[in-house]
Amino acid sequence: MFKPAALAVMKKKRANFEQIVEFCRSPRAFLKHLDAAGVDRAVLINYVAPEVIGFTPEVNQFVANYVKEDTKRLIPCGSIHPRHTRNVLADVEQVLRLGIRMIKIHPPHQLLFPNDYLHGVKELEIIYRAAEANGIPVMFHTGTSIFPGARNKFGDPIHVDDVAVDFPKLKILLAHGGRPLWMETAFFLVRRHPNVYLDISGIPPKSLLKYFPRLEEIAAKTLFGTDWPGPGVPDIKQNLEQFRALPLAEAAREQILSKTALTIWPA
Ligand SMILES: [Zn+2]
């Protein structure tokens, strides 16, 4: 589905792109790769973003089929795009029926603000209400994106503040902690709202404590991820090893690597 310019960004600086193609085809091959990296479970991020990346609503069916190989280890994340749905209620129902276990909103790629429901985009409110009622978390991409056509004004996590206030039972994950521009905003939101979590994927582990010097204070609501195969994330295992090497208390490390995710998606 990739648009050529987006695909070029994916391939750049990646020697073994064929490996990713193989993993998209074969969940079994990907699970073996996770075994070798020492990873039990993976959330597979998919979202509808026809304008910037090329992804259509077909991603939901794709990931639902993909995870059938092992539904304990592979957690499907899907999406509904307010401007690319003809019937939002029907699409919400389909996503629930497919067993999608997280909804991704990617503001810089979907070209919308998380709180646009306050300005007439009623579909967003319906999506959040359905997620809240069904105990499905919503992950927002926060921070910049280097894909051609991405609009970074949408990446400021402050717009998620409204969502956290208006949907207090909705579990909200701030992907990438607003890196590299808005870490203080992300840290504030995680501390301010009981329903807001920090996802550290896409942050080079070596920069993590520079970006979040008080990370241990919010460890109970922080979860590990890699954002692989995103640009700038060469390898899952290497990412995990670099995280493990950080000077964190053992309890905080365990919390971030396993326990927080287990409270969101119990094993
Ligand atoms: Zn993202």
Side-chain angles (χ1 to χ4, degrees), residues 42-245:
V43 181
L44 308 177
I45 307 292
N46 295 269
Y47 56 91
V48 180
E51 291 98 340
V52 175
I53 307 293
F55 301 153
T56 72
E58 280 175 65
V59 294
N60 293 315
Q61 186 70 60
F62 164 76
V63 74
N65 290 342
Y66 190 91
V67 302
K68 281 178 188 160
E69 182 69 29
D70 190 335
T71 50
K72 287 206 172 88
R73 296 183 68 192
L74 302 174
I75 299 169
C77 169
S79 113
I80 300 155
H81 190 306
R83 287 195 307 277
H84 297 278
T85 170
R86 269 188 222 140
N87 183 338
V88 69
L89 286 172
D91 284 355
V92 162
E93 227 160 75
Q94 194 222 8
V95 156
L96 294 173
R97 202 170 51 237
L98 287 173
I100 297 294
R101 295 179 75 188
M102 183 165 82
I103 304 247
K104 171 96 181 216
I105 301 277
H106 198 310
H109 291 177
Q110 296 181 320
L111 309 177
L112 49 76
F113 285 107
N115 58 356
D116 270 350
Y117 60 89
L118 297 173
H119 310 286
V121 185
K122 286 292 164 199
E123 291 86 351
L124 265 184
E125 185 173 346
I126 290 167
I127 293 163
Y128 297 155
R129 283 268 172 259
E132 188 178 40
N134 289 281
I136 294 172
V138 173
M139 168 181 271
F140 292 91
H141 174 104
T142 64
T144 57
S145 164
I146 55 160
F147 280 92
R151 294 185 189 266
N152 288 303
K153 68 182 172 191
F154 297 116
D156 187 338
I158 196 63
H159 306 290
V160 180
D161 183 61
D162 281 325
V163 185
V165 171
D166 293 335
F167 305 89
K169 294 210 166 75
L170 177 65
K171 282 202 171 104
I172 294 170
L173 280 66
L174 300 178
H176 329 310
R179 61 96 182 93
L181 301 180
W182 299 293
M183 288 79 75
E184 282 184 6
T185 305
F187 185 71
F188 166 78
L189 291 173
V190 174
R191 295 182 74 223
R192 163 77 183 82
H193 298 293
N195 55 330
V196 174
Y197 294 71
L198 174 71
D199 155 70
I200 60 170
S201 76
I203 300 173
K206 283 173 183 165
S207 304
L208 183 60
L209 290 176
K210 193 177 71 193
Y211 284 0
F212 291 96
R214 293 163 64 191
L215 185 70
E216 290 195 5
E217 285 179 38
I218 54 167
K221 288 203 291 168
T222 299
L223 63 161
F224 177 84
T226 63
D227 205 29
W228 185 90
V233 187
D235 186 61
I236 295 173
K237 190 177 181 188
Q238 184 191 320
N239 192 298
L240 183 54
E241 281 166 359
Q242 287 177 357
F243 175 80
R244 283 218 166 97

Side-chain angles (χ1 to χ4, degrees), residues 10-69:
M10 289 295 292
K11 284 183 171 175
K12 205 173 164 191
K13 290 195 236 165
R14 196 172 289 283
N16 52 349
F17 185 77
E18 295 73 25
Q19 188 191 43
I20 298 168
V21 177
E22 165 69 2
F23 293 163
C24 287
R25 198 187 56 73
S26 166
R28 203 169 290 185
F30 180 61
L31 284 162
K32 268 192 188 165
H33 188 66
L34 291 183
D35 289 339
V39 175
D40 297 320
R41 302 201 294 169
V43 181
L44 308 177
I45 307 292
N46 295 269
Y47 56 91
V48 180
E51 291 98 340
V52 175
I53 307 293
F55 301 153
T56 72
E58 280 175 65
V59 294
N60 293 315
Q61 186 70 60
F62 164 76
V63 74
N65 290 342
Y66 190 91
V67 302
K68 281 178 188 160
E69 182 69 29

